């Protein structure tokens, strides 16, 4: 049944092409992006509607997609008869457009992008999802939603699973139920990166016909280390980046070309973008303000401002209020309480400068002999804070600061070369001759990260939260460097970025294409020692030494060096053949990993002895046959009129069974 989704995408793309874009520039890319937004909107709306009737199951979802496909097919036949265009005809137009685009990029650039895309695609399909956040809350939600037949909140020790925005998981829910497999989970982020690259190319083309700008901008976006690593995961930063860039493209397309379709796609992007991740708002706020000011200034736009504003509010609220309300009922806040520590609390201007500087320095660190480079930068940051009269590390401004060296994990990798290219693009943006609209785009991009730094405090994993900014900056980097570099330099820069990005595609610490165990045991130690890089490569460094995803077992990919102890416990659980399994977890427990390895027909899971406000949702009739705990609950306890005793402890995990 999985074919229902690509069928919908194909029909929606064809309908958008014929109805809106057949005479526009870049018609195929415009049609594809618009179709993706409409399909995403359908997923968001249909999930909420089906959930109201407890119809989150394979049959109901397949029927809903079949209805969508039929509706799109009927629409296509009507458009075909009106405009006299057939599928073979428009497919030929798309093929010609794709061929022209590839000629613009050149064979060398196409080859570099293809290698990165192919490697990450293979890993995304072959690897079992094992990102830490995904195991804790991104994917763990799916099992409970399917179990209860709706997307209502449930009792959970992991507050993020019942308070963080759910859209990406709605997509995973559909692909899992339609295919019966986890293999499609990581394709969402990979596909969104493909969409982002299409949008980057479209934004550059709004302002320039320079081939150098196009090549540099696309390669900059595709080779950012954190982007490469996240494209192989089930996180949601690339998904929200897709909606951010789509919104920004439609803003400038409407202002420059007066495309009404672009104006009314913005509310749809805003609605689903907010449903994906709250950071969407910070990145689009400057561009939204720019759009409103532009609409107020020009009479030709002014007549649409009321309808546009109303549509934006109605779509965003209609789509998001149900989830916000469910969260509010539990936590007395529409966004929960778990993310409160990520917010800045300012007492003066120096606090804001501190936030901006720490967010920037997060990406400036790198490896060097004796760590001299990082020590120098850290001293400059400390001197800046001393001059302002505030500590470098203060709780109201985020986590304790730490300079990065070199990290191959999708939560912590930073963009060393990317940040320096962006920094040097600022004077270029001032002095190079670019269209006025391009300069406005650039300054609004820089303003977007300043807005982000105002609201969000420094975090060691902040690099992934910066993904939308770096991708927004890709057209700026392409346009500025493309206008000043010589022909050979404009070809060399993308190649150097590609070389620097390739290790991240091949040697991810979470799911490597090649074995990192071989690299970090045989190749890297002599380099580390000779250059005095002082990089830890032992087990404490996020299980850095991993087998290739083509050989590692799911358990090893989930728990790394802790797998043997966990395997012992899980074997004991299965030996008891329980039908109902209770979990006592911490916020960081790998909920999905337990579900994946213990899943059997008829077996159900639930969080028990929950201590946060969601305990009100615990089912008093649920009496587990076993309880797995990642917190020591003592020798025994009573739960729902049953007494449980400790029977096993293994590697920080406790197994409790009923006393008969």
């Amino acid at each position: 049944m999985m074919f229902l989704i690509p069928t919908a995408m194909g029909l929606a793309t064809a309908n958008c092409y014929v109805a809106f874009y057949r005479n526009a520039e870049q018609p195929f890319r415009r049609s594809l992006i618009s179709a993706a937004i409409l399909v995403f909107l359908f997923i968001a709306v249909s999930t909420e509607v089906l959930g109201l009737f407890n119809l989150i199951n394979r049959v109901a979802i397949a029927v809903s997609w079949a209805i969508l496909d039929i509706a799109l097919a009927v629409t296509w036949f009507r458009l075909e008869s009106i405009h006299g265009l057939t599928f073979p005809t428009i497919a030929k137009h798309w093929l010609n457009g794709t061929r022209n685009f590839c000629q613009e990029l050149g064979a060398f650039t196409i080859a570099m992008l293809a290698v990165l895309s192919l490697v990450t695609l293979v890993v995304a399909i072959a690897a079992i999802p094992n990102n830490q956040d995904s195991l804790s809350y991104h994917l763990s939600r799916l099992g409970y939603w399917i179990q209860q037949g709706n997307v209502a909140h449930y009792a959970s020790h992991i507050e993020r699973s019942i308070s963080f925005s759910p859209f990406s998981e709605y997509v995973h829910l559909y692909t899992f139920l339609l295919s019966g497999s986890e293999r499609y989970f990581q394709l969402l982020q990979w596909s969104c990166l493909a969409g982002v690259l299409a949008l980057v190319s479209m934004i550059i083309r709004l302002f320039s016909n320079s081939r150098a700008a196009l090549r540099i901008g696309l390669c900059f976006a595709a080779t950012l280390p954190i982007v490469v690593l996240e494209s192989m995961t089930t996180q949601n930063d690339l998904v929200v980046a897709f909606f951010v860039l789509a919104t920004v493209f439609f803003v400038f397309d409407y202002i420059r070309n007066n495309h009404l379709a672009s104006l009314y796609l913005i509310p749809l992007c805003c609605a689903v973008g907010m449903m994906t991740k709250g950071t969407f708002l910070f990145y689009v706020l400057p561009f939204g303000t720019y759009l409103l000011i532009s609409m107020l200034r020009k009479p030709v736009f002014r007549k649409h401002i009321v309808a546009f504003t109303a549509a934006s509010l109605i779509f965003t609220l209609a789509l998001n209020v149900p989830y916000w309300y469910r969260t509010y009922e539990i936590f007395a806040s529409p966004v929960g309480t778990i993310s409160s520590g990520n917010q800045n609390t300012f007492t003066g201007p120096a606090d804001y400068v501190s936030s901006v500087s720490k967010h920037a320095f997060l990406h400036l660190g790198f490896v060097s002999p004796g760590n001299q480079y990082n020590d120098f930068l850290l001293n400059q940051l400390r001197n800046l804070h001393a001059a302002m009269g505030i500590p470098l590390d203060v709780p109201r401004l985020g986590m304790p600061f730490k300079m990065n060296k070199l990290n191959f994990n999708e939560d912590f990798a930073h963009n060393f070369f990317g940040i320096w290219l962006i920094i040097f693009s600022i004077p270029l943006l001032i002095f190079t001759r670019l269209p006025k609209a391009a300069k406005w785009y650039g300054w609004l991009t820089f303003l977007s990260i300043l807005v982000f730094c105002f609201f969000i405090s420094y975090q060691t994993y902040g690099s992934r939260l910066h993904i939308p900014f770096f991708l927004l900056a890709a057209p700026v980097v392409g346009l500025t460097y493309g206008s000043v570099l010589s022909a050979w330099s404009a070809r060399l820069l993308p190649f150097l970025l590609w070389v620097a990005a390739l290790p991240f595609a091949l040697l991810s610490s979470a799911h490597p294409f090649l074995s990192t165990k071989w690299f970090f045991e045989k190749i890297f130690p002599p380099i580390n020692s000779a250059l005095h890089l002082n990089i830890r490569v032992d087990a404490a460094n996020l299980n850095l030494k991993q087998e290739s995803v083509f050989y590692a077992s799911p358990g090893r990919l989930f728990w790394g060096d802790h797998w043997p102890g966990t395997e012992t416990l899980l074997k004991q659980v299965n030996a008891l053949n329980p039908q109902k399994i209770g979990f006592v977890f911490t916020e960081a427990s790998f909920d999905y990993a337990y579900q994946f390895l213990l899943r059997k027909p008829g077996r159900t899971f639930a969080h028990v002895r929950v201590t946060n406000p969601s305990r009100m949702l615990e089912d008093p009739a649920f009496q587990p046959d076993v309880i797995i705990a990642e917190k020591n609950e003592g020798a025994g306890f009573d739960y729902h009129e049953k007494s449980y005793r400790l029977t096993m402890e293994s590697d920080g995990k406790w197994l409790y069974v009923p006393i008969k």
Side-chain angles (χ1 to χ4, degrees):
M1 294 184 185
M2 189 65 187
F3 72 92
L4 291 168
I5 296 178
T7 300
M9 270 297 300
L11 288 168
T13 302
N15 288 337
C16 288
Y17 176 84
V18 176
F20 304 114
Y21 301 124
R22 64 186 185 280
N23 296 318
E25 294 179 352
Q26 308 154 330
F28 175 57
R29 278 170 283 169
R30 286 175 180 268
S31 303
L32 192 62
I33 295 299
S34 300
I37 291 167
L38 294 173
V39 168
F40 282 151
L41 180 68
F42 170 79
I43 291 174
V45 173
S46 61
T47 303
E48 290 290 338
V49 172
L50 290 174
L52 287 175
F53 300 97
N54 295 323
L55 289 175
I56 298 298
N57 58 67
R58 190 183 190 198
V59 173
I61 286 175
V63 169
S64 69
W65 277 94
I67 292 171
L68 175 65
D69 286 349
I70 292 170
L72 290 171
V74 170
T75 303
W76 162 252
F77 287 123
R78 291 188 63 184
L79 290 172
E80 183 184 41
S81 63
I82 293 171
H83 298 284
L85 290 172
T86 63
F87 244 119
T89 302
I90 64 172
K92 186 177 180 181
H93 292 165
W94 292 348
L95 186 61
N96 289 336
T98 303
R99 188 181 297 115
N100 292 336
F101 179 65
C102 291
Q103 288 174 352
E104 281 188 275
L105 284 180
F108 189 54
T109 304
I110 290 291
M112 289 191 294
L113 294 175
V115 168
L116 275 182
S117 298
L118 184 60
V119 171
T120 52
L121 175 63
V122 170
V123 173
I125 295 174
I128 294 294
N130 68 332
N131 168 262
Q132 293 189 23
D133 282 353
S134 297
L135 298 182
S136 292
Y137 77 95
H138 283 301
L139 297 179
S140 66
R141 300 165 155 180
L142 308 187
Y144 302 109
W145 288 342
I146 295 170
Q147 207 168 266
Q148 62 194 20
N150 56 55
V151 289
H153 286 343
Y154 50 89
S156 177
H157 293 277
I158 303 170
E159 290 186 39
R160 291 172 295 173
S161 67
I162 50 174
S163 59
F164 280 15
S165 302
F167 173 71
S168 292
E169 290 74 46
Y170 285 179
V171 180
H172 298 324
L173 178 68
Y174 276 32
T175 60
F176 178 76
L177 286 173
L178 291 176
S179 68
S181 170
E182 293 86 1
R183 293 300 180 187
Y184 298 97
F185 284 169
Q186 293 170 148
L187 287 184
L188 173 61
Q189 286 254 103
W190 188 91
S191 300
C192 282
L193 175 57
V196 163
L197 295 181
L199 286 161
V200 167
S201 72
M202 293 160 69
I203 291 170
I204 291 173
R205 278 293 171 260
L206 282 176
F207 308 125
S208 171
N209 290 318
S210 166
R211 292 189 176 188
L214 185 62
R215 292 166 180 162
I216 294 171
L218 276 178
C219 287
F220 176 88
T223 58
L224 292 163
I226 191 66
V227 166
V228 172
L229 291 167
E230 272 228 9
S231 68
M232 303 178 283
T233 73
T234 51
Q235 291 166 283
N236 58 12
D237 299 286
L238 283 172
V239 182
V240 75
F242 170 81
F243 290 112
V244 169
L245 267 78
T247 301
V248 171
F249 169 75
F250 292 134
V251 165
F252 278 89
D253 186 52
Y254 173 67
I255 292 173
R256 288 177 62 80
N257 301 314
N258 196 19
H259 283 154
L260 206 57
S262 290
L263 180 66
Y264 286 103
L265 280 167
I266 294 172
L268 306 187
C269 290
C270 291
V272 188
M274 283 297 296
M275 199 181 205
T276 304
K277 202 177 186 84
T279 53
F280 171 87
L281 177 62
F282 307 137
Y283 288 113
V284 301
L285 187 59
F287 296 96
T289 304
Y290 176 73
L291 172 62
L292 289 176
I293 292 173
S294 299
M295 294 179 75
L296 288 170
R297 290 180 60 190
K298 295 183 180 181
V300 68
F301 296 153
R302 203 175 298 153
K303 62 184 178 181
H304 298 296
I305 194 167
V306 174
F308 166 73
T309 304
S312 298
L313 290 173
I314 291 169
F315 275 106
T316 301
L317 293 176
L319 203 58
N320 288 277
V321 162
Y323 189 83
W324 291 342
Y325 179 72
R326 295 196 292 270
T327 307
Y328 179 84
E329 283 189 304
I330 298 172
F331 299 104
S333 167
V335 294
T337 59
I338 195 69
S339 61
S340 299
N342 298 334
Q343 300 167 7
N344 279 318
T345 302
F346 292 151
T347 60
D351 290 344
Y352 180 57
V353 175
S354 172
S355 177
V356 173
S357 63
K358 287 192 288 187
H359 279 289
F361 271 65
L362 173 66
H363 296 277
L364 291 173
F366 203 60
V367 292
S368 62
N371 204 37
Q372 295 179 44
Y373 168 77
N374 274 7
D375 289 343
F376 171 77
L377 284 183
L378 186 56
N379 284 333
Q380 304 314 305
L381 188 60
R382 284 174 175 156
N383 291 339
L384 172 64
H385 282 72
M388 294 188 298
I390 62 171
L392 175 61
D393 296 323
V394 56
R396 57 187 165 78
L397 297 177
M399 299 178 177
F401 183 78
K402 178 183 178 182
M403 290 291 297
N404 277 322
K405 291 182 180 178
L406 186 64
N407 201 304
F408 288 82
N409 182 274
E410 65 272 6
D411 284 326
F412 303 102
H414 60 296
N415 305 314
F416 174 73
F417 296 111
I419 192 66
W420 280 115
L421 285 172
I422 289 173
I423 290 171
F424 288 121
S425 74
I426 295 175
L428 294 177
L429 189 62
I430 297 172
F431 296 111
T432 52
R433 299 185 63 180
L434 293 173
K436 185 178 179 180
K439 294 200 172 189
W440 268 112
Y441 174 87
W443 298 127
L444 291 169
T445 293
F446 293 123
L447 182 57
S448 72
I449 190 63
L450 294 178
V451 172
F452 175 89
C453 293
F454 181 83
F455 290 101
I456 303 299
S457 62
Y458 164 80
Q459 297 148 61
T460 54
Y461 48 80
S463 177
R464 59 186 177 83
L465 303 181
H466 297 160
I467 284 176
F469 165 68
F470 277 88
L471 293 174
L472 281 171
V476 180
V477 171
L479 291 165
T480 54
Y481 287 92
S483 65
V484 298
L485 293 180
S486 62
W488 71 269
S489 299
R491 291 182 178 273
L492 179 61
L493 178 58
F495 174 71
L496 294 176
L497 292 173
W498 178 78
V499 170
L502 201 55
F504 293 92
L506 296 171
L507 300 172
S508 161
S509 64
H511 33 241
F513 187 94
L514 303 177
S515 171
T516 56
K517 183 179 177 66
W518 162 79
F519 179 81
F520 285 107
E521 284 186 350
K522 304 296 183 183
I523 304 299
F524 188 70
I527 301 172
N528 195 20
S529 177
L531 297 180
H532 305 287
L533 300 180
N534 302 323
I535 295 178
R536 294 188 66 179
V537 293
D538 55 17
N541 193 353
L542 291 173
N543 297 304
L544 198 58
K545 301 173 185 178
Q546 296 288 345
E547 297 178 86
S548 166
V549 294
F550 303 108
Y551 303 105
S553 66
R556 174 67 64 174
L557 285 171
F558 291 147
W559 276 286
D561 295 334
H562 295 283
W563 170 235
T566 307
E567 184 180 27
T568 301
L569 181 136
L570 295 182
K571 284 182 177 179
Q572 179 62 28
V573 170
N574 278 322
L576 297 171
N577 194 30
Q579 289 299 101
K580 298 178 180 179
I581 298 178
F583 294 137
V584 178
F585 282 158
T586 68
E587 183 67 37
S589 294
F590 291 174
D591 190 345
Y592 175 75
Y594 285 103
Q595 293 183 44
F596 179 89
L597 293 172
L598 292 172
R599 188 188 300 147
K600 283 186 177 180
R603 181 174 283 179
T604 57
F605 307 96
H607 288 212
V608 301
R609 295 172 63 84
V610 175
T611 56
N612 64 56
S614 72
R615 62 181 175 272
M616 68 175 69
L617 300 176
E618 285 192 55
D619 181 3
F622 185 79
Q623 295 183 324
D625 299 317
V626 300
I627 294 176
I628 298 172
E630 291 204 346
K631 295 185 288 186
N632 189 346
E633 298 290 296
F637 52 82
D638 292 334
Y639 181 74
H640 288 176
E641 301 180 357
K642 268 191 178 184
S643 296
Y644 293 82
R645 62 182 177 85
L646 177 66
T647 60
M648 180 181 183
E649 189 276 331
S650 180
D651 197 9
K653 300 169 182 65
W654 292 263
L655 179 63
Y656 294 87
V657 299
I659 299 174
K660 297 181 180 179

